[in-house]
Amino acid sequence: MSARLRPVLLFGAVALLYLATAFVYGWNLTLAIVNMGLIGAIMALGVNMQWGYAGLFNIGIMGFVALGGLAAVLVSIPPVPEAWAAGGMGILLGLLIGAATIAGAVLLWKKLPPGKLRGLVIVAFLIVGFWLYGRIFSPAVSAVEAVNPAGTGFLGGMGLPVLFAWPAGGLLAAGAAWIIGKTALGLRSDYLAIATLGISEIIIAILKNEDWLNRGVKNVIGIPRPWPVPYEVELQQDQGFLAWAADWGASAATASSIIVKLSYAGLFLAVLLLLITLVELSWRSPWGRMMRAIRDNEVSAAAMGKDVTRRHLQIFVLGSAVVGVAGAMMTTLDGQLTPGSYQPLRFTFLIWVMVIVGGSGNNWGSLLGGMLIWWLWIMVEPMGIWLMQMITAGMADGYWLKKHLIDSAAHMRMLTMGIILLLVLRFSPRGLLPEK
């Protein structure tokens, strides 16, 4: 297969999978898979930037996705005036004191001469600073969380249009990535992976437990939709839309759901095309060639005068920002922030499978892998149930083997992902669309 024809055939095959799904299961389900596939492709694109450009093994993807989701809350949810009156300023003051304590300790470490005195001064400074932080922050948090905890119990956000949350999610993830990178990018690849995973779990733990910030595990619901995505109820009350749906022979509920999903798909596709255009331009630029040179041989690149750690930090921040944008988009699509749903299996393993199967180092491969793997992730379970029912059709109802095989269909997802990963690594180790 020629190098030019291969991408066309592979993308065409994936498109046929989605079309077949639409004819068998309907457009509602198919468009839902398309939307999550587009978001998965953006996440895979961000991870591919880190791995394909610089060889950085980041398995803290879940944390950056969660920060993007948090941005959707902080930007789009209206503020809660009662909570701000009860303790909002106390929380802000406490956070400022905590940040100033850490910054002051770093400054003292740099300014004071080495020795026991420096250690004692820094320890004393930290004890006083965090004592003051606790005295101000903890009562304010208790006051905020006591304000209608069943409905709010948090400070809320800025009440801005939710589209602003998408770049804000990228900025929030980029800021966290800069802090992580300054701390961990000097480590070897395996230690970097462990560090990013640990920090990701810390971020998730904060989101689950800090009710004043995002209601914790009580979840934030009612995140507004971005323009121009309508609400189904509004469409179903529009007489023109009802007449249009009747002309197509569709119910108002089905037609309105399809229109909403198509609107989301248009927005997500526009973001994906913008990002992949920017990434492709950077890939072909002198900066992109320098990054690949560093990835292939860090020692030689350093000998040529390249600041390897600084360049690694750049790409780590950029890739994490892309993942953060995708996280904000996903929370917007869901209409709620549920910290308990941020599982490593879904947002780390699956995204890495997308990158490996699509082809690490190839941005279009990330897009292909995102759309293909997400389709498989959703469709393998119903297909597995159908397959097991066919296999056990001749067995008597209640027979232990029949029940066991049908129940095991729920595990077909993991089995399929493992088989696909093994097949790709065996027969196409550079992925379906290898790096050129």
Side-chain angles (χ1 to χ4, degrees), residues 280-294:
E280 281 288 297
L281 290 174
S282 70
W283 184 251
R284 292 177 169 83
S285 69
W287 180 83
R289 292 192 290 272
M290 174 192 66
M291 292 304 305
R292 293 197 295 278
I294 292 175

Side-chain angles (χ1 to χ4, degrees), residues 162-220:
V162 74
L163 279 178
F164 289 111
W166 297 4
L171 290 174
L172 192 58
W178 184 85
I179 296 172
I180 295 168
K182 293 293 285 186
T183 305
L185 281 180
L187 302 173
R188 288 185 336 194
S189 59
D190 48 352
Y191 294 117
L192 173 63
I194 295 170
T196 53
L197 177 62
I199 295 170
S200 169
E201 290 298 324
I202 291 172
I203 293 172
I204 299 300
I206 291 172
L207 294 188
K208 287 181 178 179
N209 293 284
E210 298 299 325
D211 287 12
W212 64 270
L213 181 63
N214 62 293
R215 284 177 50 81
V217 294
K218 291 182 286 189
N219 305 337
V220 177

Side-chain angles (χ1 to χ4, degrees), residues 315-333:
I315 200 65
F316 188 72
V317 168
L318 290 172
S320 300
V322 172
V323 175
V325 170
M329 293 166 62
M330 187 182 67
T331 300
T332 304
L333 176 64

